[in-house]
Amino acid sequence: MSNKTVYILGIESSCDDTSASVICNGKVLSNVVANQEVHAKYGGVVPELASRAHQQNIVPVVQQAIEQAGITKHDLNAIAFTRGPGLMGSLLVGTSFAKSLALGLNIPLIDVNHMQAHILAHFIEEEGSQIPPFPFVCLTISGGHTQIVKITNHFEMEILGETIDDAVGEAFDKSAKILGLPYPGGPLIDKYAQLGNPKAFKFTKPKVGNLEFSFSGLKTGILYFIQKNTKENPDFIKENLHDICASIQHTIIEILMDKLKNTVKQTDIKHIAIAGGVSANSEIRKRLTTAQKHWGWTTYIPKFEYTTDNAAMIAIAGYLKYLNNDYSDISVTAKARLKVTE
Ligand code: KG4
Ligand code: ZN
């Protein structure tokens, strides 16, 4: 490999975060994320509002990322952007912007699969962080996905198992909604859970295949549990919020850990990574750290800022493609549905 200095700009706009990042070879120089507050009062992401907010944010966010990196746009070697999966209106903003900028600067354009990027965030070079060796297994847990992926090479991935209904992030967010918490509720459940007893209430775990997930039954179970108890005591949620959150979180994380144990048994791969928004959860992070001691796994936990949607992961995926001269044609289009293997 040459020791040329390569600057890649990454652009992420798949859902409700507008983000831009500059990386130099494998190192992050900037990673700017503009969250969209506008959705909280609707209890979920409103696609039309998301694309409008991306349009407002994209120019200042990209400008800030380039400035913070201490370079000018003329130093960039390529532009990487999220092609999909995601909300079409949101993806279109990032895609069109990336295309115009690449054309204007006359540099390569590189499309990136958002699901691959969550996993490839593990290849960002940071002090104190370890890069996983091939093959490794990644549990991708986000608001839209829950899957176990085997990674044999940077762009050679295989889905070993996934959810048959809701994603784990949805399980967190929908449970939070039942408790009257604002969107996205995952981080709030995590926060309150730290103050509660995880064994206070028991919820039934779903019965599905060894490497499969299902969360819709759990959500219904939680709904009935809350309805029954608030009928008897209207202040039930208020009086037990910490214990309820701790018990819900404990059940969800138990399900995830069970599936990881099944995966290790089935594949004999003990290099285990987690990725996606839910990998920010403090309990899963703790459980993976102890798995390292108890079961001899080597675990890879992303830095907090690379768990939820961010452009640094898009830039590192773009950099790895750049090294393979894997560029996109200007005719490339956004794709709302895209598998991690595509
Ligand atoms: O990866 P991400 O930012 O967006 C998608 O691609 O879906 O994931 C967002 C999801 C949301 O469901 C959010 O509630 C969840 O990640 N999340 C958490 C935590 N932080 C974010 N869930 C549980 N505990 C957390 N600390
Ligand atoms: Zn994501």
Side-chain angles (χ1 to χ4, degrees):
M1 215 181 287
S2 74
N3 46 15
K4 182 181 157 196
T5 306
V6 177
Y7 292 103
I8 307 278
L9 171 72
I11 296 173
E12 155 65 27
S13 74
S14 67
C15 190
D16 60 340
D17 296 306
T18 317
S19 180
S21 162
V22 174
I23 68 167
C24 176
N25 296 356
K27 294 197 172 72
V28 176
L29 301 183
S30 63
N31 183 32
V32 179
V33 184
N35 304 114
Q36 302 180 359
E37 306 292 333
V38 57
H39 308 287
K41 62 174 181 273
Y42 299 98
V45 176
V46 184
E48 182 52 36
L49 295 179
S51 59
R52 241 183 281 166
H54 282 305
Q55 277 175 348
Q56 285 169 354
N57 292 342
I58 193 136
V59 172
V61 164
V62 168
Q63 232 159 17
Q64 214 180 322
I66 292 174
E67 251 167 54
Q68 272 182 22
I71 60 164
T72 76
K73 59 181 186 292
H74 302 289
D75 296 315
L76 294 170
N77 294 85
I79 314 281
F81 70 98
T82 305
R83 181 184 184 211
L87 300 169
M88 198 41 147
S90 292
L91 291 167
L92 280 173
V93 177
T95 306
S96 329
F97 187 88
K99 280 188 188 184
S100 326
L101 192 56
L103 265 181
L105 295 170
N106 196 23
I107 54 176
L109 177 70
I110 300 173
D111 68 275
V112 169
N113 177 321
H114 179 92
M115 299 311 297
Q116 290 182 355
H118 268 300
I119 297 172
L120 295 172
H122 285 283
F123 292 88
I124 292 173
E125 288 171 28
E126 296 264 343
E127 231 171 281
S129 78
Q130 249 188 315
I131 289 177
F134 300 119
F136 66 97
V137 164
C138 185
L139 174 68
T140 308
I141 37 182
S142 73
H145 294 83
T146 303
Q147 49 189 213
I148 301 169
V149 183
K150 179 179 167 183
I151 299 96
T152 25
N153 219 319
H154 290 128
F155 297 100
E156 241 175 81
M157 305 191 181
E158 182 194 347
I159 300 174
L160 301 180
E162 57 189 330
T163 181
I164 57 169
D165 43 54
D166 288 353
V168 61
E170 280 178 281
F172 271 104
D173 296 339
K174 287 179 179 174
S175 304
K177 200 170 179 179
I178 295 170
L179 299 176
L181 301 173
Y183 178 87
L188 286 172
I189 293 204
D190 188 357
K191 184 176 152 198
Y192 297 135
Q194 295 180 32
L195 306 166
N197 171 9
K199 304 258 168 75
F201 305 106
K202 211 171 156 43
F203 301 104
T204 319
K205 290 198 248 171
K207 289 183 184 63
V208 283
N210 257 350
L211 305 186
E212 265 177 3
F213 301 87
S214 165
F215 290 103
S216 74
L218 177 67
K219 174 196 66 195
T220 313
I222 293 168
L223 178 66
Y224 290 162
F225 166 82
I226 295 294
Q227 281 176 342
K228 180 174 161 282
N229 282 284
T230 43
K231 217 174 180 179
E232 290 162 14
N233 170 13
D235 289 332
F236 177 74
I237 296 178
K238 214 167 85 194
E239 287 168 11
N240 297 280
L241 185 63
H242 297 162
D243 285 348
I244 300 170
C245 288
S247 302
I248 292 174
Q249 176 168 295
H250 184 69
T251 310
I252 295 176
I253 304 303
E254 277 289 303
I255 295 170
L256 299 179
M257 291 308 293
D258 285 350
K259 299 299 168 176
L260 280 180
K261 281 187 237 169
N262 293 346
T263 308
V264 172
K265 212 188 260 173
Q266 187 164 320
T267 62
D268 218 15
I269 297 172
K270 288 187 178 172
H271 289 278
I272 308 290
I274 48 171
V278 181
S279 64
N281 182 269
S282 60
E283 167 119 15
I284 186 87
R285 295 172 86 87
K286 236 183 268 162
R287 293 290 293 274
L288 278 194
T289 310
T290 45
Q292 191 140 312
K293 270 185 257 153
H294 293 335
W295 305 324
W297 301 1
T298 310
T299 56
Y300 304 86
I301 303 168
K303 245 180 105 176
F304 200 73
E305 54 261 50
Y306 307 139
T307 54
T308 46
D309 289 347
N310 67 86
M313 68 184 197
I314 305 304
I316 189 75
Y319 174 61
L320 294 167
K321 281 192 155 184
Y322 181 88
L323 295 179
N324 293 338
N325 297 317
D326 188 358
Y327 307 147
S328 315
D329 190 82
I330 200 74
S331 63
V332 64
T333 50
K335 269 194 97 182
R337 300 174 74 86
L338 199 59
K339 283 208 162 105
V340 69
T341 46
E342 283 178 78

